[in-house]
Amino acid sequence: MKRLIVAILAVALVAVAGPGPAAAQYKPEFKNSLVVGPSGPWGEAAAKFADLLRERTQGRINVKNYYAGQLFAGKQTNEFTLLNQGVADFAFGSTINWSPQVKELNLFAMPFMFPSYKALDAVQAGAPGQKLFKLIEAKGVVPLAWAENGFRQITNGKRAVRKPEDLAGLKIRVVGSPIFIDTFRALGANPINMNWGEAQQAFQQGTVDGQENPVVSVIIPFKLWNSQKHLTAWHYAIDPVIIAVSKLTWDSLTPADREIVRKTAVEMAAWEKAGARKGLEGSTAAYDELKKNGMEVVMLSPAEVAAFKAKTRAVYDKWVGEVGVDLVKAAEQIVAKTR
Ligand code: X2X
């Protein structure tokens, strides 16, 4: 009888403790940070990521998505610090928002550096991409995969932009990352730093004239046609998204769960990248959607792009030093080969 009671107690204890010691140690919620909302490929990938991780770990890793900058209270350039501190466990973060802490990430914002997705993919897969991941990891954040916001196109509510002079005096909202101020000043515009949340209000109130963001990941989901009537496709900067995990969180996971997390991030990044590029190349569907909603779209010819490029050459040269000569050179060589 005594033996039977001991056996029953032992079974009951196992049932209370759950499937294993590691799972019992995990926190009930892992926080994932995003600057955007749930709609569009960026937000949708985060939702799928949370679902897949819950399913693949039998609920051990329960990710909750904090959309629209909730975790960093709107201050988007703080996201990397939150990851480093473990306040955010995960992030689907734009390289622009992390560039104040990892200045080499400004590589992607150097004006007119990346001519194509092919060139970008080759740089990410090559030595420069690996170097950037190492630099991020050295700062307490484990990068898992390259996803994408996209090529950033300029919009405004005032006039069509075909040449640098058309930007003269336009008040353009940019992220609080200094390279953007340099670029837009060089173009004769009047750039102003603003967080994305605040920018929505500024567009509605008309306190700024324009902004720059990718078509599929941001302009369409945020219905920017409500305030921005003109878009110029100039592909002046690319904005990757990195799926990453805090080193503190990473170290708390079992090796088997780390593998699941990495694999899921890689899958989601590929899915998201495809979504962020849909209707932009080999199809005009994304631009058609803008036109359907009343936007006027200007597609620049290579000669027209060259005029903007020439105006921003000094900014490019200045930022080679900030980003690092070797890194920029390595990227330039890959770009030249894949153009
Ligand atoms: O704030 C922006 O413009 C956005 C949404 O693209 C970024 O987070 C960089």
Side-chain angles (χ1 to χ4, degrees):
M1 185 63 188
K2 204 170 164 193
R3 268 199 180 170
L4 184 64
I5 290 172
V6 169
I8 289 170
L9 274 176
V11 169
L13 266 178
V14 168
V16 169
Q25 287 159 17
Y26 288 175
K27 44 191 166 188
E29 175 188 297
F30 289 87
K31 296 177 166 56
N32 186 27
S33 174
L34 287 103
V35 68
V36 291
S39 59
W42 194 346
E44 285 166 21
K48 276 171 85 86
F49 180 70
D51 287 346
L52 281 173
L53 278 186
R54 210 172 291 117
E55 190 185 304
R56 290 173 177 179
T57 64
Q58 288 82 44
R60 289 189 300 282
I61 300 180
N62 177 40
V63 172
K64 181 172 173 198
N65 288 315
Y66 286 79
Y67 294 105
Q70 285 171 71
L71 273 187
F72 46 78
K75 191 145 179 20
Q76 60 200 85
T77 50
N78 276 355
E79 190 176 61
F80 190 85
T81 304
L82 293 191
L83 267 178
N84 162 276
Q85 294 169 341
V87 176
D89 296 290
F90 294 94
F92 280 39
S94 153
T95 48
I96 297 174
N97 296 335
W98 297 2
S99 63
Q101 291 81 27
V102 188
K103 67 178 193 318
E104 293 84 354
L105 288 175
N106 283 297
L107 177 72
F108 302 104
M110 292 183 63
F112 302 98
M113 160 125 206
F114 290 92
S116 65
Y117 290 129
K118 207 169 139 204
L120 171 72
D121 291 343
V123 167
Q124 288 175 345
Q130 284 155 24
K131 168 101 196 278
L132 289 168
F133 269 22
K134 282 212 183 85
L135 290 166
I136 291 169
E137 189 150 2
K139 297 193 174 186
V141 174
V142 181
L144 301 169
W146 295 100
E148 198 153 284
N149 187 0
F151 275 111
R152 300 179 73 90
Q153 317 295 11
I154 180 111
T155 69
N156 82 91
K158 292 236 154 121
R159 55 183 176 254
V161 172
R162 286 196 172 276
K163 48 189 190 311
E165 296 72 45
D166 296 330
L167 283 172
L170 286 185
K171 197 164 168 188
I172 305 291
R173 173 270 170 181
V174 295
V175 188
S177 171
I179 191 169
F180 294 97
I181 294 284
D182 287 354
T183 299
F184 282 89
R185 282 207 183 128
L187 290 167
N190 174 16
I192 171 165
N193 283 340
M194 215 179 261
N195 285 305
W196 184 238
E198 275 175 82
Q200 309 305 304
Q201 284 177 319
F203 301 149
Q204 271 154 26
Q205 294 163 358
T207 50
V208 297
D209 301 315
Q211 63 88 48
E212 44 73 58
N213 251 300
V215 172
V216 172
S217 301
V218 175
I219 295 175
I220 293 175
F222 284 89
K223 299 186 166 55
L224 291 194
W225 45 74
N226 288 327
S227 63
Q228 311 285 299
K229 294 296 163 204
H230 303 276
L231 178 135
T232 298
W234 62 345
H235 296 66
Y236 89 112
I238 182 78
D239 183 11
V241 163
I242 297 175
I243 303 180
V245 52
S246 169
K247 180 85 164 69
L248 298 170
T249 306
W250 186 246
D251 289 345
S252 77
L253 302 178
T254 63
D257 282 340
R258 273 183 221 154
E259 211 28 58
I260 294 172
V261 168
R262 188 183 291 283
K263 190 170 165 274
T264 307
V266 168
E267 274 175 41
M268 280 308 94
W271 184 86
E272 196 276 345
K273 232 187 203 193
R277 295 176 182 187
K278 207 167 163 220
L280 291 170
E281 252 193 12
S283 153
T284 56
Y287 295 109
D288 293 345
E289 169 93 10
L290 301 180
K291 290 181 192 161
K292 206 178 76 199
N293 285 287
M295 275 182 120
E296 228 180 85
V297 175
V298 173
M299 306 297 290
L300 294 184
S301 68
E304 286 169 323
V305 170
F308 289 93
K309 192 171 177 175
K311 280 259 180 200
T312 53
R313 187 70 222 184
V315 176
Y316 187 101
D317 293 342
K318 170 185 167 186
W319 280 84
V320 171
E322 301 283 328
V323 170
V325 181
D326 293 347
L327 185 63
V328 175
K329 275 209 179 121
E332 281 173 344
Q333 277 165 11
I334 295 173
V335 167
K337 265 189 239 152
T338 49
R339 197 172 272 275

